[in-house]
Amino acid sequence: MYVDRRQLREIIKELKKWSAPATVLLSLYIPPGRPVSDVLNMLRQELSITDNIKLKKTRSAVQRALKAAIERLSKIPKIPDNGLALFCGEDMDTGDFICLMFVPPEKVPVYFYRTDKHFHTEFLEEMVVESNLVGLIIIERDAATLGLLKGSRLEVLEEIEDYIPGKHHRGGQSQRRFDRIIEQMVHDFYKRVGEHAKEKFLPLLEQGKLKAILIGGPAYSKYDFVEGDYLDYRLRQLVLPRLIDVSYQGEVGLREMVMKASDLLKEQEYVDALKAVEEFKLNLAKDDGMIIYGEEDVKRALEMGAIKTLIIDEDRPDAHQWAELAKKYGAKPVFLSDDVPEGAWIKKTFGGLVGILRYRIY
């Protein structure tokens, strides 16, 4: 089974729920190119020595996990191009059992096998970080916000402040000296912001995940920052061509900047979600019959081909199934995270599933 990042996030969440009083939970990562026969031989060897486990309950749980892993792996002729991840284990208190084998969205980086008191998900967790990230910088002479746009999520990385005095009005040499001091303070602050941006963004660029940097701010600060060569040259090459006028710092400012730059960020899920929510709210306020909610009504409207956009709470257990159904009937699925304004309201009021219609159906 191939899984995408959204499905993988749900799998990780499920695996993290499992724990055991003994080392009975099996985690296996197989990179591409590893012969299936080699892995099966290793698992059979592990199974052959389980009779040495003294506690009967522990021995039984480990054997059950190994046998399930062997059975699953025996059914495939070759390790897929991205490798395989396999997790099997028993809840020793309830007897519940889980066994998952899937192809992750990125190549498995290591050959790893372990039975432990928890499932080892650390190699998967690196894969759920979006690979189409946009760095965000709001800059003014004494304040800055660094953020990341990650698919349908907006994250504030850091807020930076400094005290820089206003203009001096005495005139003469005192005025010029004071202006030079202020100019140096602003220069030092911009330099500090550039260093923080390098610390936050450069590792993401080196991992191939950072694709662009969007810069905004009030008045001329943003131009002074970009033209003053304060950003690392590798990051400077990613700066989008238009600088955005922004009135606020913090999360509010980042949202404002992203919305104003929506034409530059056409492929970002967060922008799609913002626009979809705004359209839903507008139609709801107008009471024009161009929205729909309730699972049965939504499903019926999808099957009619009447839904243009389907807004889905990404935390719904059936989110992926609704997205696939939307695509099947020509609707655009838009995932809603908690970072999207009004997202929590749509989840609470409408169950996290609403549609925007192409035409009225009632």
Side-chain angles (χ1 to χ4, degrees):
M1 177 181 74
Y2 286 82
V3 301
D4 58 26
R5 282 186 175 81
R6 202 172 300 277
Q7 292 170 296
L8 183 58
R9 197 176 288 121
E10 293 303 313
I11 289 172
I12 293 172
K13 192 183 300 183
E14 175 61 28
L15 292 174
K16 281 182 171 292
K17 295 177 183 177
W18 288 74
S19 62
T23 56
V24 301
L25 300 179
L26 182 154
S27 304
L28 176 62
Y29 292 86
I30 312 171
R34 175 78 61 161
V36 175
S37 57
D38 286 0
V39 185
L40 285 171
N41 288 337
M42 181 274 294
L43 292 174
R44 287 172 181 141
Q45 186 175 355
E46 288 290 318
L47 182 60
S48 70
I49 62 176
T50 55
D51 288 335
N52 298 325
I53 300 174
K54 294 181 179 180
L55 293 175
K56 182 180 178 182
K57 197 171 183 180
T58 301
R59 180 171 66 249
S60 174
V62 173
Q63 289 176 345
R64 186 180 181 187
L66 282 165
K67 287 176 181 177
I70 291 168
E71 181 187 0
R72 293 291 183 91
L73 204 54
S74 297
K75 295 178 180 178
I76 65 167
K78 180 184 176 183
I79 303 300
D81 290 342
N82 274 8
L84 275 176
L86 198 158
F87 302 89
C88 295
E90 177 182 319
D91 185 321
M92 295 176 67
D93 294 326
T94 66
D96 292 341
F97 189 75
I98 185 174
C99 195
L100 299 175
M101 185 173 75
F102 56 88
V103 182
E106 294 182 12
K107 288 186 178 181
V108 173
V110 293
Y111 182 50
F112 177 94
Y113 163 77
R114 190 165 299 172
T115 52
D116 211 330
K117 295 179 180 180
H118 63 276
F119 288 121
H120 284 265
T121 60
E122 56 266 34
F123 302 111
L124 298 178
E125 288 172 38
E126 296 175 4
M127 299 180 188
V128 297
V129 177
E130 297 288 339
S131 59
N132 190 25
L133 305 180
V134 177
L136 306 172
I137 302 174
I138 299 175
I139 182 76
E140 51 188 303
R141 66 200 300 270
D142 57 359
T145 302
L146 304 181
L148 268 181
L149 192 56
K150 306 174 3 178
S152 63
R153 298 180 177 273
L154 184 68
E155 179 182 352
V156 177
L157 298 178
E158 187 175 12
E159 294 184 61
I160 309 167
E161 292 184 359
D162 203 348
Y163 171 71
I164 297 177
K167 289 187 177 182
H168 188 65
H169 298 290
R170 292 183 182 177
Q173 291 184 354
S174 177
Q175 171 73 56
R176 290 191 291 274
R177 184 170 60 252
F178 198 75
D179 286 346
R180 284 196 299 271
I181 293 171
I182 293 176
E183 186 177 327
Q184 183 61 45
M185 292 176 72
V186 173
H187 167 79
D188 292 344
F189 180 70
Y190 287 169
K191 186 176 179 182
R192 179 181 160 206
V193 173
E195 289 168 353
H196 283 243
K198 179 180 178 180
E199 177 187 324
K200 300 291 185 184
F201 296 144
L202 195 57
L204 298 173
L205 175 62
E206 291 171 344
Q207 294 166 24
K209 294 179 178 178
L210 188 72
K211 303 303 182 185
I213 294 177
L214 180 64
I215 296 180
Y220 296 102
S221 299
K222 53 188 175 292
Y223 299 103
D224 294 339
F225 179 73
V226 172
E227 294 167 6
D229 206 23
Y230 295 103
L231 270 181
D232 180 278
Y233 72 96
R234 289 160 291 187
L235 298 177
R236 203 162 59 244
Q237 294 172 358
L238 297 182
V239 174
L240 291 169
R242 193 172 82 245
L243 306 185
I244 310 300
D245 289 326
V246 181
S247 307
Y248 304 97
Q249 290 286 343
E251 186 175 351
V252 173
L254 293 180
R255 287 176 177 170
E256 178 189 2
M257 182 166 67
V258 167
M259 279 300 290
K260 287 184 174 180
S262 59
D263 59 319
L264 300 175
L265 303 170
K266 291 178 182 176
E267 296 181 1
Q268 289 297 318
E269 293 178 35
Y270 185 82
V271 175
D272 285 344
L274 282 176
K275 289 182 175 179
V277 169
E278 286 303 312
E279 186 176 357
F280 176 81
K281 286 168 55 184
L282 178 63
N283 289 328
L284 179 65
K286 290 163 63 177
D287 193 22
D288 57 8
M290 294 299 289
I291 59 171
I292 196 162
Y293 45 86
E295 289 193 11
E296 291 185 8
D297 289 341
V298 167
K299 187 172 186 292
R300 186 162 53 249
L302 278 173
E303 291 170 348
M304 294 169 58
I307 292 183
K308 175 179 69 173
T309 305
L310 185 66
I311 303 174
I312 311 163
D313 171 15
E314 68 175 15
D315 291 328
R316 285 180 64 107
D318 57 0
H320 182 71
Q321 288 90 329
W322 279 108
E324 291 302 309
L325 196 63
K327 292 174 186 175
K328 178 180 177 181
Y329 292 107
K332 178 181 180 179
V334 172
F335 288 100
L336 196 63
S337 73
D338 290 335
D339 297 327
V340 177
E342 314 292 349
W345 168 69
I346 287 182
K347 293 180 183 185
K348 183 178 179 180
T349 308
F350 302 101
L353 184 71
V354 298
I356 301 172
L357 298 173
R358 291 189 171 93
Y359 50 84
R360 294 181 61 170
I361 56 177
Y362 297 113

